[in-house]
């Protein structure tokens, strides 16, 4: 029997408390809209939000998390640098990270990418078609040739990120732009997936295929336990010639 994957879904939880449109779409918060379908698939899910102590990301929570999902937008600057560093250290140590939509501008993602992570955008309720460009990748298992969202915010190239290790999904928008919408990266022992859709005024996280991609990404991002890397000053495994002479 496979081990249950422990997931923490982090969300600012600011839009839902301020904007009645968002509150109507996500009455229990974006974090629960993401987390509840994961629970139905058998994951062990907890949520954390910005205004909790330590943003809900205590050492105990992070150490008990296999994969962290991050949604942020209007309060990136309110996230403490101390918590950011703790998250980054956990990623380097093997915790998976899934960054959603406007989380591209979070401190965590920008520091892990080492770039500005900027892009062009437009709010015009446009159709988005997310094309699967790597149909062999486990993140798009069970997904058809593309995912179509009737209304979404546009993100367009150029997206200021390093070249992804794998490009899984590319978006086309009704206004003509394209965007690298499903990108994987490895940092230290951790695996990262950036997934573009999810503007707060659209019911994107209620979409079955979007939920499936996130669930697939959780399985992919879970660390595969291997040998712990040994670093620093090390004794030789074999007898050195200088030792033999002495």
């Amino acid at each position: 029997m496979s081990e249950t994957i422990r997931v923490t879904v982090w969300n600012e939880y600011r839009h839902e408390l301020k904007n009645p449109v968002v509150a109507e779409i996500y009455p229990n918060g974006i974090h629960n809209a993401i987390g509840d379908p994961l629970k139905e698939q058998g994951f062990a899910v907890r949520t954390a939000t910005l205004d909790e102590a330590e943003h809900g990301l205590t050492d105990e929570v992070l150490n008990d998390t296999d994969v962290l999902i991050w949604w942020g937008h209007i309060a990136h600057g309110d996230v403490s640098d101390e918590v950011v560093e703790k998250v980054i250290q956990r990623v380097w140590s093997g915790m998976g990270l899934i960054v959603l939509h406007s989380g591209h501008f979070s401190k965590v993602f920008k520091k892990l990418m080492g770039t500005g992570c900027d892009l062009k955008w437009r709010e015009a309720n446009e159709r988005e078609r997310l094309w699967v460009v790597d149909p062999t990748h486990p993140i798009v298992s069970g997904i058809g040739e593309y995912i179509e969202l009737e209304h979404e915010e546009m993100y367009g190239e150029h997206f200021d990120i390093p070249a992804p290790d794998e490009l899984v999904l590319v978006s086309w928008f009704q206004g003509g732009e394209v965007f690298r919408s499903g990108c994987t990266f490895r940092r230290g022992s951790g695996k990262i997936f950036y997934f573009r859709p999810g503007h707060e005024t659209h019911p994107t996280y209620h979409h079955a295929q979007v939920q499936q991609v996130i669930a697939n990404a959780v399985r992919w991002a879970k660390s595969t336990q291997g040998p712990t890397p040994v670093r620093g000053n090390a004794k030789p495994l074999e007898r050195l010639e200088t030792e033999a002479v002495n």
Side-chain angles (χ1 to χ4, degrees), residues 223-229:
S223 175
T224 301
Q225 293 299 321
T228 302

Side-chain angles (χ1 to χ4, degrees), residues 20-39:
V21 174
V22 181
E24 184 176 356
I25 296 170
Y26 298 113
N28 297 316
I30 289 172
H31 47 295
N32 284 308
I34 294 167
D36 288 347
L38 294 175
K39 291 178 183 177

Side-chain angles (χ1 to χ4, degrees), residues 5-6 117 139 152 189 207 240:
I5 300 175
R6 302 166 299 176
C117 298
I139 285 178
E152 252 294 353
S189 298
H207 193 286
L240 300 178

